[in-house]
């Protein structure tokens, strides 16, 4: 991804504590550790770092339970102690994620930290430029000069003066790389204003240009946190993993409960669903963005299986961009129009089929070309295994042909 090789200088300690994931924060955190004698033992068990560990637990719990991401409000970072707690809580939470060795958990946590950063950056106009230049290679702010518009009213023609506004624009390469990860028509290339290699982020009535930039930054911040955590995973020793087993277990349990809650919603057996459907539900539950094709497939499968609409909406509740009203409207539309769920070929092309040859016996069958066939075959196989006389034949491969 085209991220600047040399980030701009950032030395303000309040800013570094507020955004402890910034590459510029690493040296500062190291200096603070030396200045306050914070070593690994202190961070894991010391009384001085107890508050940082508590705040880290909140960061981790929020990452599983809150769809808004990690709570924006932390300690008072205008005091040295508050800055220490905020910075080292991030550091400790990252250690826990590394020790979990669970890429899905790491992705979810990175997403939650990035969502928190987005909320902060929307308000933080003084630091937005430096953070933007840290993660986006081509980005600049321009002031749109006032222009005259002519409007007609019952009292005749009037000249309307627009107020000057600051608008951001980003390089086309950055935009193209980031926008597929964001849902919504305004992020599709045909709908944006492109000029000489720049994409203008026009301000809208309810969506300011700076908020759009913060949204793009969220994706880059998430990718950076995720990549760094995965890289540091290799440094976790057995001893460290044992010492972090308790917080890792806490997050794992929370996540397991969350996933089974979503699946239990429909009262159907998870084992009947094809892997593609299960994967999309699990991704959404864990806050991983699912592309438009995958979302439409899940809604149309739910409609075909006659699952209640509320259950289908519930699948999307963990999505990074979930909106109750928008999702309910879109799900209702799919249910009303009875869309046919996509077949395996299209799901594979759109990166929504998670299986490879050898992963799943049913998906490997030569006749498997539609997820509904998967369900029929699974149900038929279950019926056969439930009949005592058919026990023997049921231990072989699934039926060679699906039920009509
Ligand atoms: S092969 Fe078909 S049914 Fe199986 S996971 Fe892929 S898309 Fe779904």
């Amino acid at each position: 991804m085209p991220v600047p090789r040399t980030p701009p200088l950032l030395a303000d300690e309040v800013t570094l504590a507020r955004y402890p994931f910034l590459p510029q924060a690493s040296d500062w955190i190291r200096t603070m550790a030396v200045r306050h004698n914070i070593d690994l033992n202190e961070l894991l068990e010391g009384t001085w770092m107890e508050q940082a560990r508590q705040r880290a637990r909140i960061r981790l719990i929020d990452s599983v339970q809150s769809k808004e991401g990690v709570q924006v409000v932390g300690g008072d970072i205008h005091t040295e102690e508050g800055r220490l707690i905020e910075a080292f809580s991030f550091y400790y939470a990252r250690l826990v994620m590394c020790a979990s060795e669970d890429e899905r958990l790491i992705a979810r946590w990175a997403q939650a930290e990035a969502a928190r950063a987005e909320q902060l950056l929307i308000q933080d106009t003084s630091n937005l430029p430096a953070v933007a230049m840290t993660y986006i290679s081509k980005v600049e702010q321009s002031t749109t000069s006032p222009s005259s518009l002519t409007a007609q009213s019952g009292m005749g023609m009037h000249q309307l003066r627009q107020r000057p506004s600051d608008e951001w624009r980003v390089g086309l390469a950055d935009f193209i790389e980031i926008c597929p990860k964001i849902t919504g028509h305004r992020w599709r290339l045909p709908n944006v204003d492109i000029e000489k290699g720049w994409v203008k982020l026009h301000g809208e009535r309810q969506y300011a240009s700076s908020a759009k930039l913060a949204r793009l930054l969220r994706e880059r911040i998430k990718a950076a946190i995720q990549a760094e955590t995965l890289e540091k995973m290799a440094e976790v020793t057995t001893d460290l993993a044992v010492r972090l087993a308790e917080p890792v277990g806490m997050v794992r349990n929370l996540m397991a409960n969350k996933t089974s809650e979503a699946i239990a919603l429909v009262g159907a057996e998870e084992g009947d669903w094809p892997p593609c459907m299960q994967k999309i539900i699990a991704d959404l539950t864990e806050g991983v963005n699912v592309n438009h094709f995958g979302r439409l497939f899940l809604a149309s499968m739910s409609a075909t299986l006659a699952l209640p609409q509320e259950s289908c909406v519930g699948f999307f509740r963990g999505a990074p961009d979930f909106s109750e009203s928008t999702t309910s409207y879109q799900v209702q539309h799919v249910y009303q129009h009875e869309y046919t769920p996509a077949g395996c070929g299209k799901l594979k092309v759109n990166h929504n089929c998670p299986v490879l040859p050898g992963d799943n016996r049913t998906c490997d069958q030569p006749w498997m070309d539609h997820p509904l066939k998967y369900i029929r075959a699974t149900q038929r196989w279950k019926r056969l295994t439930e009949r005592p006389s058919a026990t023997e034949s049921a231990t072989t491969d699934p039926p060679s042909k699906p039920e009509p």
Side-chain angles (χ1 to χ4, degrees):
M1 73 186 168
V3 172
R5 293 220 175 114
T6 316
L9 199 64
L10 255 177
D12 175 42
E13 295 193 2
V14 172
T15 304
L16 297 175
R18 185 175 290 141
Y19 307 108
F21 51 81
L22 284 170
Q24 297 93 324
S26 303
D27 284 346
W28 170 70
I29 293 180
R30 261 192 292 278
T31 309
M32 294 285 271
V34 172
R35 194 191 302 165
H36 294 276
N37 289 325
I38 301 168
D39 58 11
L40 188 61
N41 289 332
E42 176 59 48
L43 184 63
L44 297 190
E45 280 136 24
T47 45
W48 170 222
M49 281 287 103
E50 174 61 29
Q51 282 192 62
R53 291 194 295 275
Q54 280 176 10
R55 166 82 176 127
R57 285 178 91 87
I58 294 171
R59 291 186 108 109
L60 292 168
I61 292 170
D62 282 350
S63 70
V64 177
Q65 296 198 323
S66 166
K67 77 180 176 62
E68 281 85 28
V70 172
Q71 251 180 51
V72 168
V73 185
D76 180 3
I77 53 174
H78 295 281
T79 65
E80 174 118 333
E81 192 185 344
R83 288 195 288 276
L84 271 176
I85 291 167
E86 199 59 15
F88 282 92
S89 69
F90 174 81
Y91 199 81
Y92 181 83
R94 190 173 63 188
L95 263 186
V96 174
M97 286 295 96
C98 289
S100 79
E101 295 188 341
D102 185 328
E103 294 189 16
R104 285 178 166 254
L105 269 186
I106 292 171
R108 181 151 184 135
W109 172 68
Q111 158 69 30
E113 287 287 348
R116 168 185 176 270
E118 180 191 3
Q119 293 309 310
L120 288 167
L121 287 167
I122 288 172
Q123 310 292 334
D124 192 357
T125 46
S126 55
N127 283 309
L128 183 61
V131 176
M133 282 185 265
T134 301
Y135 291 102
I136 296 181
S137 52
K138 252 182 101 178
V139 55
E140 67 177 32
Q141 193 175 22
S142 61
T143 302
T144 312
S145 53
S147 60
S148 297
L149 290 176
T150 307
Q152 187 158 22
S153 75
M155 299 182 67
M157 301 293 282
H158 295 275
Q159 289 279 308
L160 300 177
R161 297 288 292 171
Q162 283 185 324
R163 285 193 303 168
S165 63
D166 288 333
E167 288 207 330
W168 288 91
R169 57 182 194 162
V170 298
L172 185 58
D174 288 283
F175 188 86
I176 286 176
E177 201 263 348
I178 302 172
C179 72
K181 302 183 179 93
I182 309 179
T183 315
H185 67 277
R186 63 163 62 81
W187 300 104
R188 303 286 75 88
L189 216 46
N191 300 332
V192 295
D193 186 359
I194 303 172
E195 190 185 83
K196 294 179 183 163
W198 289 94
V199 174
K200 295 181 183 175
L201 304 176
H202 290 305
E204 297 173 38
R205 187 190 290 265
Q206 305 233 340
Y207 207 172
S209 181
S210 54
K212 287 185 176 178
L213 180 63
R215 179 66 189 88
L216 290 172
L217 282 169
R218 175 169 124 194
E219 293 304 324
R220 281 278 163 86
I221 291 169
K222 178 190 170 188
I225 293 175
Q226 203 172 341
E228 201 176 4
T229 311
L230 290 173
E231 198 184 303
K232 290 189 185 300
M233 216 162 73
E235 295 166 19
V236 176
T237 60
T238 310
D239 174 57
L240 183 57
V242 169
R243 293 170 78 183
L244 289 169
E246 190 276 325
V248 168
M250 183 267 301
V251 187
R252 272 193 201 287
N253 286 341
L254 281 177
M255 198 63 228
N257 290 341
K258 192 90 184 161
T259 307
S260 53
E261 261 171 35
I263 287 170
L265 270 176
V266 296
E269 282 185 49
E270 181 190 346
D272 292 352
W273 299 342
C276 41
M277 187 176 172
Q278 291 193 35
K279 171 78 165 47
I280 291 169
I281 294 171
D283 279 352
L284 288 167
T285 307
E286 291 165 18
V288 177
N289 204 12
V290 170
N291 62 25
H292 173 72
F293 196 86
R295 290 173 185 231
L296 180 60
F297 166 71
L298 177 59
S300 54
M301 276 295 278
S302 304
T304 307
L305 298 174
L307 305 180
Q309 281 190 36
E310 314 82 67
S311 303
C312 181
V313 172
F315 287 145
F316 293 89
R317 214 165 280 283
D321 50 0
F322 178 75
S323 149
E324 182 95 39
S325 54
T326 309
T327 306
S328 301
Y329 172 79
Q330 289 168 342
V331 165
Q332 188 187 33
H333 182 83
V334 173
Y335 272 62
Q336 277 173 354
H337 290 81
E338 299 180 359
Y339 285 103
T340 306
C344 298
K346 284 191 177 165
L347 286 159
K348 286 178 201 291
V349 168
N350 286 283
H351 312 288
N352 297 117
C353 170
V355 305
L356 293 172
D359 284 351
N360 183 295
R361 203 171 52 164
T362 310
C363 291
D364 276 346
Q365 297 300 313
W367 45 258
M368 175 53 67
D369 58 7
H370 201 285
L372 288 172
K373 285 188 179 176
Y374 183 100
I375 293 181
R376 284 191 209 112
T378 309
Q379 287 172 341
R380 185 177 176 205
W381 186 80
K382 276 169 71 181
R383 275 201 302 278
L384 287 172
T385 55
E386 278 159 16
R387 284 213 308 262
S389 59
T391 309
E392 206 174 314
S393 63
T395 56
T396 57
D397 279 355
S400 56
K401 281 186 183 172
E403 288 193 336

